[in-house]
Each structure stands twice: as structure tokens, then as C-alpha cells.
Amino acid sequence: MTSGTAPSPFSEERLLALLDMEKMTLSSAARAAQGPSERWMRYLGFPGGILAFLLLYYLPFGPGLSGAAQAGIACFVLALVWWVTEPFPTYVTSLALMFLLLTTGASGAKAIMDVLGLEVIWLNLLAFILSAMLVKTRLARRMALWLVVRFGSTAPWALFAFLLLQLILAPLIPATAARCVMTLPLMLVVAAIYGSTEEAPNAFGKNLMLLNLVGISVLSSMSMTGSSANLIAVGLIQTMGGHKLYYMDWMRLGAPIAILSTLAMWFLGPRLLFRIPPSEQTPRIPGGIEVVRQKYLEMGPLAAGEKKALAIFGLVLFLWMTDVFHLRWFGVEISAPFAALLGALIVLFPRWGVLQWSEADIPWHLLIFSAGAYAGGLALDDTGAAEWAVRMLFGRFDLAALPFGVAFTLIMAVMMYSHLLTTSKTVRTMIMIPIIITLTKSLGWDPVSFALPAALCIDWVVGLPISGKPNVILFSTNQYSVMENFKYGMMTCTIGLVLLVVSAATWFHWLGVTPAFWSLPQ
């Protein structure tokens, strides 16, 4: 840095401090506005949310829409406007949403309070304890430095390394939140090496976090075991559609689309959405990659704490990977949250553990944000508002008069973007797949030609920070805004939709899954 230049947030001292990472801290402070447009959004977001609420709450009920369902929609839209425009920290909006759900009658007190007992909330809490263990023992730092030394000499290859990492983990660990928290410390360190911090995020940091979000979610659609919602869809297709699906039936359709979509975002994200300038194309630590290599060599062999952390995480990873055998082995199924609970117990156990409770640094603001999002999503589901919205969308089209390709495109578009209406993949599956099977059977189409491609869309929950568990976790890093998440997610979903439609006309048809693209219902 030349004399007279203002101190840079990417100074050597700052970056080396981030590399040391005594604790992984996710600040509860509101994200600073990035430019005049975001500042104006914050000014207008508060009255805009109230106006949207009043309009939706006092409009005449739609056909088939109850008062509680309409109130739930109004409350959720108000929260969505505030989450997007950020006039307050996200957890404040979640608290306001929970209060409004009660006072408008959209949800009961017990249902709202019970969200703090949901598996997803516990999994987030316990996974952060495991993540803090990786950071405290410096195992995360070792892994991140190795990753940068091996692949990270330039920004594109650093991003590709994470894409490859998520591709490897996807079939091994079905729990998306577990994969997210497992790799989050690595993301934070690599982002810091490339000069992107919570206080001053740059284009590399935005691409890194959002590409990982896409990798974690979209790559789960490669196999039917990628998430429990996928398995529910398989069961519905068998019971309602009369077609038994095998592992390879799903993979030969899902894997090419998922992999091509993530590769497309790896290429387009840094070049089109968030362009990485030349100054961010290489590590920002003075001395570049050689300094990173030196820091890695200075760590020497694995320390005792690192070995203990590796053993604990290996045990949890083993339980995550072998959940289908638990009943046979142990007589009880150890779900992902309880596997994480066992790991956290060992981590915090006196004398034998590696972490004190005060060192875990639980991001309670993130859990409150999650609780509000799930309370709003459950209210939409429980009152029937989400199902009503989906039925209204389908009811606007006369599918009986349309050729297969047009009907397929419309149904896949509804399925792909429907994750913006509900925060639960399982509930979305339970609503959407039966509707699609019933509708296509009534039209004379083979239900599998629609239901199986629609099931591939279940895991594409990348549009908003409230759309899934990894979304909430990664958004808390303050590396990107809600609107940036929306732009990146919508581009991903649109690419996926185009690939689905093209595949229906070619690849799926050749495999015998879909009929001729321009054929009419029988």
C-alpha cells in the first residue's frame, strides 16, 4: 500500500486475522446498504410492506380462500417485502411476522412457538457447534488453505473447487444443511483470502456463497436419495401414478440437468451477474498464493485437537451417510439432527471435548430469522393458502387444448418457481405432485411424463434466503443481499427450466419418458 492511501479492509493484518479465525462469528448487525438504490429500497420498504399487507388483508376473499388463509398471505407478503428491502435486520422482521400471524388469526400461539422445536432449527444450532469445532481446532483453516493452494490460484478455479466439493458431497450427505455448515468455514476463509469480508463483500464473495448455495441445493436433485422430499415424490408417483421408479431412472434424468445448471452458473455468475474485476481474480493477501502456501506449511502435521475434531466429525458424517441402515443396526433411526446432537455432545463434553459453550458462538439471530420464516411458511401451508395459490395458477390454463410441449413448459415453470410460495420442500411435494398426477391423468397423458420431471425441481430452492435451510445459513454471512440472492436464484431456475424443456423434447423422449413434444392429449 502506497504512502497516503487510506487503510484497506483487505490489509495484510486484517486478512491474516481472518485466517486465524479463533471463532467463526456471524454478526447480527444489519448489512450495510450497497449503493443509492439499496438505500432507497430501505426507505420505501417499510411503508411498502404495510401497504401490501393492507391491500391483501382487506381485499374480498378469493373463491375457495378462507379468512385465515388470506391473512396468512398478507402477513407473509409484508415480511417478504421487508426481508427483500431490509428496512430492519431480518430477525426483527421475523419477530414482527410471528406477532402478526397471531393477531390476524392466521396461526395459533402454539403453532408459532413450536417452530423453535422444529428439526431444522435444532439442526442449525447443533451444526454451528460442529462448525465452531472445526474453526477452533484450526482444521477448517488447514482444509481451506489446502484448497486454495491446490485449486485457488485464480478466482474461476477457486469457485470450481467448491463446485466439485459440493458435487462429491451431494450423494454422500442427503442433509443440505449439514453440507452447508460443513463447508461454511472453508467458504469464509477462502472469501477472506480473495478480499471479501462481512464488512466489505466483493464480487468474488457473492459468487462464492451463491454458487455454493446452488451446488448444495440443485445437486441434491441428482438422485432420489438427495433429500427426503425426493423420496416422497417417488412414493406418490408409484401409488398415484402407478409407476415404480428405480435409482437410475431418476439419476439419468436428474444428474445431467443439475450438473449442467451448476456449471452454467459457475461460468455466468462471475461474468454476467456479479463480474469479478481483474483485481479480485487472484488472492488479495500480499505475496499471493505463495504466502498461502507458506501459511499452510507452517501449520505442520495434524495437532491433537485437529485429530479429535476429525474423529468427531467423521462419526457424524458416518451417521449421516448410513441413515438407511440405522434401524437394522441400532433398532432406531438416528436422523441428521440427532447425529449432530451426538457430535455436539462429544464436542462440549467436559475434559474430553474440544470446545466450551461460550466458544460455540451460536448465531441466535439466525435461528430467530429461521423461526419466523418457517412460521410464515407453515401458516401458508396449514391454512391452505399455498395450495390455493397453486390451484389458481393451474386453473388459468386450458391444458386440454395444448400440445404436450406447451403444457409441459407451463407445469414445469409453476413447479420450478413454486418454492417462492413455501419454505418446505416436503409440503411443496405433497401439494404439487398429487395435483400434477391427477391433472395429467384427467387429460389423458402418462402422469410420469410430467410428475418425474416435476420432481426434479423439488430441490431447486435457491430464489430467496427463506427458501431453504442452506439459504438462511449462507445469507447470514452478509456477503450478498436478498435481491442479489433473488437474481442469482432466478437465473439458475430459468436455466434449469430451459434444460428441462429441451430435455423433454430430446433426451427424455429418447428414453421413453415423454411423448412427442407437439403431440396432443389422447
Side-chain angles (χ1 to χ4, degrees):
M1 186 165 63
T2 59
S3 178
T5 304
S8 168
F10 312 124
S11 64
E12 181 177 4
E13 295 79 8
R14 168 63 171 152
L15 286 169
L16 293 181
L18 283 165
L19 283 177
D20 285 337
M21 289 180 69
E22 283 301 315
K23 288 195 293 187
M24 181 184 64
T25 301
L26 297 178
S27 172
S28 60
R31 191 182 61 86
Q34 305 292 309
S37 60
E38 280 200 22
R39 282 194 289 272
W40 273 108
M41 284 178 63
R42 294 186 178 188
Y43 294 144
L44 300 175
F46 175 61
I50 295 175
L51 180 61
F53 170 82
L54 293 174
L55 287 174
L56 292 170
Y57 187 75
Y58 287 106
L59 280 175
F61 293 173
L65 187 67
S66 68
Q70 182 161 340
I73 292 173
C75 293
F76 194 80
V77 169
L78 176 142
L80 190 58
V81 171
W82 285 355
W83 278 325
V84 169
T85 58
E86 298 181 83
F88 323 109
T90 53
Y91 56 87
V92 174
T93 298
S94 287
L95 292 172
L97 172 60
M98 289 189 281
F99 183 77
L100 279 173
L101 290 172
L102 175 69
T103 55
T104 59
S107 189
K110 188 177 187 304
I112 296 170
M113 293 293 103
D114 281 355
V115 293
L116 286 173
L118 290 176
E119 279 196 357
V120 58
I121 302 295
W122 273 96
L123 181 58
N124 281 353
L125 187 154
L126 296 166
F128 271 105
I129 294 176
L130 297 177
S131 187
M133 170 197 70
L134 295 179
V135 173
K136 176 68 187 305
T137 60
R138 312 190 79 166
L139 186 59
R141 180 178 186 236
R142 180 186 296 275
M143 295 166 65
L145 291 175
W146 178 86
L147 193 68
V148 173
V149 169
R150 183 67 181 85
F151 300 103
S153 57
T154 62
W157 285 112
L159 294 172
F160 185 80
F162 276 93
L163 189 155
L164 188 62
L165 179 62
Q166 299 298 353
L167 179 64
I168 294 169
L169 292 177
L172 300 178
I173 308 174
T176 54
R179 296 205 303 271
C180 181
V181 177
M182 176 182 175
T183 53
L184 180 58
L186 309 185
M187 299 180 215
L188 291 174
V189 178
V190 173
I193 290 172
Y194 274 82
S196 187
T197 66
E198 182 179 8
E199 299 85 355
N202 62 20
F204 177 86
K206 297 180 198 298
N207 280 288
L208 177 65
M209 298 298 169
L210 290 168
L211 181 64
N212 272 279
L213 173 60
V214 167
I216 290 166
S217 298
V218 171
L219 292 176
S220 294
S221 68
M222 289 194 304
S223 68
M224 66 168 61
T225 56
S227 74
S228 58
N230 295 2
L231 295 174
I232 292 172
V234 170
L236 290 171
I237 291 171
Q238 181 170 345
T239 56
M240 294 183 65
H243 190 100
K244 182 176 177 58
L245 291 178
Y246 293 92
Y247 192 90
M248 285 306 298
D249 292 334
W250 184 297
M251 178 162 276
R252 63 182 181 172
L253 268 66
I257 292 173
I259 293 172
L260 285 174
S261 297
T262 49
L263 283 172
M265 293 312 298
W266 167 73
F267 181 81
L268 294 174
R271 293 168 175 81
L272 185 61
L273 285 179
F274 310 117
R275 298 186 183 217
I276 301 180
S279 61
E280 297 173 20
Q281 289 284 346
T282 54
R284 296 290 295 275
I285 288 183
I289 200 71
E290 287 306 316
V291 172
V292 179
R293 181 177 287 107
Q294 184 59 36
K295 293 295 177 185
Y296 174 70
L297 295 174
E298 286 175 5
M299 294 194 74
L302 283 172
E306 291 178 271
K307 292 178 181 177
K308 192 178 291 187
L310 197 58
I312 295 170
F313 206 83
L315 171 63
V316 176
L317 183 61
F318 172 76
L319 292 174
W320 281 339
M321 292 171 58
T322 59
D323 55 357
V324 295
F325 304 110
H326 291 173
L327 280 176
R328 187 191 316 166
W329 292 349
F330 313 124
V332 63
E333 182 179 344
I334 304 174
S335 62
F338 278 94
L341 189 149
L342 176 61
L345 171 64
I346 301 172
V347 168
L348 296 170
F349 204 80
R351 294 185 60 188
W352 296 100
V354 296
L355 208 64
Q356 300 291 324
W357 176 260
S358 59
E359 296 172 314
D361 194 41
I362 306 298
W364 296 107
H365 64 288
L366 170 60
L367 300 184
I368 295 298
F369 170 47
S370 302
Y374 282 99
L378 290 174
L380 293 181
D381 297 329
D382 294 341
T383 60
E387 184 171 0
W388 174 85
V390 170
R391 290 188 182 277
M392 288 295 289
L393 283 171
F394 281 123
R396 294 183 179 277
F397 306 109
D398 182 12
L399 298 179
L402 299 177
F404 169 81
V406 178
F408 181 91
T409 302
L410 291 173
I411 290 176
M412 291 309 112
V414 172
M415 187 66 189
M416 181 66 80
Y417 300 114
S418 64
H419 73 275
L420 301 173
L421 297 174
T422 177
T423 57
S424 170
K425 289 187 291 188
T426 300
V427 171
R428 185 161 141 259
T429 304
M430 295 295 292
I431 292 173
M432 297 290 294
I433 299 300
I435 290 175
I436 291 172
I437 292 174
T438 303
L439 178 65
T440 51
K441 285 172 73 173
S442 69
L443 294 174
W445 297 111
D446 181 352
V448 176
S449 62
F450 287 88
L452 179 53
L456 301 179
C457 305
I458 291 169
D459 300 308
W460 293 57
V461 289
V462 294
L464 291 168
I466 60 171
S467 298
K469 304 166 198 152
N471 311 46
V472 176
I473 295 169
L474 291 177
F475 179 69
S476 67
T477 63
N478 280 343
Q479 293 277 351
Y480 56 88
S481 68
V482 177
M483 188 57 67
E484 288 166 340
N485 188 166
F486 182 77
K487 285 164 52 179
Y488 200 96
M490 289 302 96
M491 175 173 277
T492 303
C493 290
T494 302
I495 289 172
L497 177 61
V498 170
L499 288 174
L500 270 173
V501 173
V502 171
S503 298
T506 55
W507 177 246
F508 294 176
H509 180 58
W510 300 334
L511 292 174
V513 176
T514 57
F517 199 71
W518 297 110
S519 60
L520 292 170
Q522 300 298 317

